[in-house]
Amino acid sequence: LPAGLSQWFPALEVLDVSGTGLTEMGTELLSLPCLHTLLAKNNRLGGPGSLPKGLGQAPLARSLRVLNLSGNRFSEVPPVLLQLRGLRSLSLGGNRLQGIPPDIQELHSLEFLYLGGNFITAIPPELAKLPSLRYLVLCDNKIQSIPPQLAQLHSLRSLSLHNNLLTYLPREILNLVHLDELSLRGNPLVVRFVRDLTYNPPSLQELAGRTVKTRNIPYTPSDLPESLVRYLSLASNCPNPKCGGVYFDSCVRQIKFVDFCGKYRLPLMHYLCSPECSSPFSSASQSSTSQSESDSEDEASVAAHRMQKVLLG
Amino acid sequence: MEQPVQTETWKARSLEELIRILHQIFAEDKVSVEEVQTLMESYESNPEEWLQYAKFDQYRYTRNLVDNGNGKFNLMILCWGEGHGSSIHDHTDSHCFMKILQGNLKETLFEWPEKKGNGEMTKKSERVLRENQCAYINDSIGLHRVENISHTEPAVSLHLYSPPFNSCNTFDQRTGHKHKVTMTFYSQFGERTVC
């Protein structure tokens, strides 16, 4: 950036230095108090000095709303970027990112996050701590699974996941109430019913823990070693509404297919407390090979009401 | 549209002129696909002329009506943000011309699925269309998906559909199942449509 930029244009609000071959943006940025939009796409940024060190303390940290660094060479999200507290829109599309830092949650004003076209393999659950996130783009990456916590993104309107390595989705995704758009094409999604019966029988500790919880056996912290009190607090409820049981570490992974709006069947991953929980409306698990499980109808009607458009393509 | 009646080579020097010549061509009983495609390609995109129609949406691509061709055709501008794409769709027995005004669009052609399709749809071909190129498709050629695969540049395209239609089928690539959808306009004649 040219020296003296802030002296020449102290009231600068929008700066577009895209396609200029920049390798670093230096301290000139720090003295631009009114800057709310910085576009620096298609440059050669990505090395250690790409963004100036004092960024977190500069007026920019509170004033900057839009930052576009797409088409550069970042292999990680520069930590200093996470200090831009006022940031509403961030694009790092078409870079070389291998992952997303958990500290992304620091950008608590973020509404728009574009990370398409990188080499991201996993999504940190901390991403779900962004309360205002409306548009999340993760297409064209190498993502293998979605953390169920992502369903906590209550403001999410649009989620782009196409061209990744997903085989299923967490069932919690049905909780994204405001989601209008969801793209899933180009993922190796499981199409046929697959039952993974890898079931490790529960330990004695697990069995005892389940009994304590399901029978509501009272206990106080003075009754048990601290480690067991903590263990008991980690019980997960079996999602089978007819079961009402809990599980700790021992559970069955199962893929259920849910119709969205009667159009597409999506494979959703369930965790059940035992194989017997797979068909809640039938007494035995014999009829579980049918694809029209009644419990998925409940989920389907909820999903149809909430999710208006699924761009499976 | 049957056999070519005239093989005149038009040159549209502005968007306004393009529209005028299109009205002229479509006033005839017979219209040639080649003629329209050549005409559309001849127009050199000038953003000043179409910027008023190019309204982008953050979440998905938009359809912005430019001219309704006296009922003979619909001319519209589509705006594609980074990563925006369409589903696989047909064209309800109409002719579809697509010219790139800005950026690039990838077009993937698919075979029609079997009657009771229950397998992955077959890709026929794919190509990236560059600025000012004009593609053509109709149902006898096949189905397609159009997408802006750029993560850094938005794209703008000019579409002509004749006869006009407001519903089509979208297809699930994994199974070939189709679903009828109604299309809406994000804006008409430069004015945002409120729905």
Side-chain angles (χ1 to χ4, degrees):
Chain A
L1 293 174
L5 184 64
S6 51
Q7 286 167 290
W8 283 79
F9 306 107
L12 200 60
E13 292 181 22
V14 177
L15 179 60
D16 187 349
V17 288
S18 301
T20 56
L22 275 177
T23 51
E24 58 171 49
M25 290 196 289
T27 49
E28 293 79 18
L29 270 186
L30 304 180
S31 347
L32 290 169
C34 306
L35 196 69
H36 60 67
T37 297
L38 176 56
L39 310 173
K41 51 183 198 176
N42 298 321
N43 284 303
R44 289 190 232 145
L45 300 165
S50 298
L51 295 175
K53 277 197 173 61
L55 205 57
Q57 289 72 44
L60 210 60
R62 274 172 287 111
S63 65
L64 199 67
R65 296 272 175 271
V66 177
L67 177 58
N68 190 331
L69 294 169
S70 61
N72 280 288
R73 300 167 186 193
F74 288 98
S75 54
E76 57 159 24
V77 179
V80 73
L81 194 154
L82 301 174
Q83 294 171 37
L84 295 168
R85 297 298 162 116
L87 208 60
R88 301 247 170 96
S89 168
L90 172 61
S91 175
L92 279 160
N95 275 279
R96 302 170 188 179
L97 299 178
Q98 314 241 339
I100 306 169
D103 283 343
I104 192 95
Q105 61 180 312
E106 305 283 305
L107 296 174
H108 47 73
S109 303
L110 209 59
E111 293 173 19
F112 179 106
L113 180 58
Y114 193 109
L115 295 171
N118 281 287
F119 302 108
I120 297 169
T121 52
I123 304 172
E126 288 81 357
L127 186 62
K129 299 246 178 81
L130 295 170
S132 314
L133 201 65
R134 306 230 298 250
Y135 186 57
L136 177 59
V137 179
L138 294 165
C139 61
D140 294 297
N141 275 291
K142 307 273 177 215
I143 300 169
Q144 294 181 26
S145 71
I146 307 291
Q149 292 87 341
L150 226 61
Q152 289 160 34
L153 287 168
H154 297 299
S155 305
L156 207 62
R157 287 248 144 71
S158 180
L159 176 57
S160 163
L161 290 168
H162 58 271
N163 299 330
N164 274 290
L165 299 171
L166 298 170
T167 47
Y168 60 83
L169 302 175
R171 77 190 278 282
E172 288 82 356
I173 204 134
L174 293 175
N175 297 336
L176 287 169
V177 188
H178 294 119
L179 202 67
D180 288 331
E181 310 272 338
L182 169 63
S183 69
L184 289 167
R185 64 183 184 274
N187 278 287
L189 290 177
V190 172
V191 178
R192 265 182 295 285
F193 189 84
V194 168
R195 173 111 75 114
D196 181 347
L197 282 179
T198 318
Y199 175 54
N200 294 315
S203 60
L204 284 176
Q205 177 173 289
E206 165 112 24
L207 286 172
R210 289 190 185 194
T211 307
V212 168
K213 282 286 175 185
T214 50
R215 306 255 176 120
N216 283 317
I217 296 172
Y219 61 93
T220 65
S222 54
D223 296 326
L224 301 167
E226 199 197 314
S227 57
L228 286 182
V229 175
R230 226 177 309 123
Y231 180 82
L232 286 171
S233 70
L234 293 174
S236 302
N237 291 314
C238 179
N240 175 1
K242 298 271 172 175
C243 171
V246 301
Y247 63 91
F248 293 85
D249 310 307
S250 174
C251 58
V252 182
R253 281 175 16 147
Q254 189 186 49
I255 291 181
K256 278 205 181 303
F257 289 87
V258 175
D259 278 325
F260 284 103
C261 321
K263 280 195 285 183
Y264 303 110
R265 298 187 70 100
L266 288 194
L268 301 182
M269 181 61 82
H270 284 252
Y271 290 91
L272 304 166
C273 65
S274 76
E276 282 70 51
C277 277
S278 58
S279 288
F281 282 77
S282 66
S283 48
S285 45
Q286 312 295 332
S287 55
S288 52
T289 44
S290 124
Q291 287 205 14
S292 53
E293 290 93 351
S294 355
D295 67 337
S296 70
E297 277 173 32
D298 289 336
E299 287 172 296
S301 60
V302 166
H305 174 66
R306 289 175 171 176
M307 201 164 298
Q308 284 143 35
K309 188 167 280 177
V310 178
L311 298 175
L312 271 185
Chain B
M1 292 192 191
E2 287 158 15
Q3 301 95 359
V5 175
Q6 300 168 307
T7 45
E8 293 196 29
T9 315
W10 300 102
K11 167 77 180 167
R13 291 160 302 185
S14 72
L15 182 62
E16 236 182 86
E17 188 163 76
L18 172 65
I19 295 172
R20 204 167 27 78
I21 300 175
L22 281 169
H23 275 256
Q24 222 178 306
I25 292 179
F26 279 88
E28 304 293 321
D29 291 328
K30 291 192 171 132
V31 183
S32 143
V33 167
E34 287 79 15
E35 194 177 10
V36 176
Q37 195 166 4
T38 310
L39 170 67
M40 300 263 294
E41 266 199 15
S42 78
Y43 166 58
E44 280 170 44
S45 172
N46 179 357
E48 266 177 38
E49 292 167 0
W50 47 256
L51 223 46
Q52 54 173 307
Y53 304 108
K55 300 180 190 307
F56 282 81
D57 183 87
Q58 222 183 39
Y59 306 124
R60 50 159 303 148
Y61 73 91
T62 61
R63 305 169 79 245
N64 304 276
L65 184 65
V66 174
D67 191 274
N68 56 22
N70 285 334
K72 296 279 183 69
F73 62 84
N74 266 350
L75 188 70
M76 63 190 77
I77 281 180
L78 270 62
C79 296
W80 315 74
E82 292 88 314
H84 288 177
S86 77
S87 52
I88 303 174
H89 57 273
D90 63 10
H91 298 88
T92 320
D93 290 326
S94 289
H95 302 266
C96 160
F97 299 83
M98 172 171 71
K99 179 202 174 68
I100 313 297
L101 294 177
Q102 181 185 298
N104 302 291
L105 287 176
K106 176 172 159 188
E107 180 193 32
T108 310
L109 286 182
F110 289 87
E111 302 276 10
W112 281 87
E114 299 296 310
K115 257 286 159 51
K116 285 256 169 171
N118 243 320
E120 180 96 27
M121 282 173 72
T122 315
K123 235 185 249 195
K124 279 201 331 181
S125 64
E126 63 182 43
R127 57 175 168 168
V128 175
L129 296 158
R130 311 275 169 207
E131 276 181 23
N132 286 314
Q133 272 188 283
C134 179
Y136 169 78
I137 193 169
N138 66 44
D139 283 350
S140 66
I141 292 174
L143 307 165
H144 71 179
R145 182 201 302 289
V146 180
E147 44 188 335
N148 178 11
I149 52 173
S150 173
H151 297 293
T152 57
E153 311 305 324
V156 181
S157 53
L158 181 68
H159 295 236
L160 187 148
Y161 298 101
S162 179
F165 59 95
N166 59 11
S167 76
C168 69
N169 291 299
T170 63
F171 295 78
D172 178 351
Q173 188 169 345
R174 291 178 313 156
T175 59
H177 290 160
K178 69 177 184 198
H179 180 83
K180 185 172 171 188
V181 292
T182 312
M183 296 113 78
T184 56
F185 290 114
Y186 193 76
S187 76
Q188 298 194 37
F189 316 113
E191 302 279 326
R192 175 87 173 88
T193 350
V194 184
C195 32

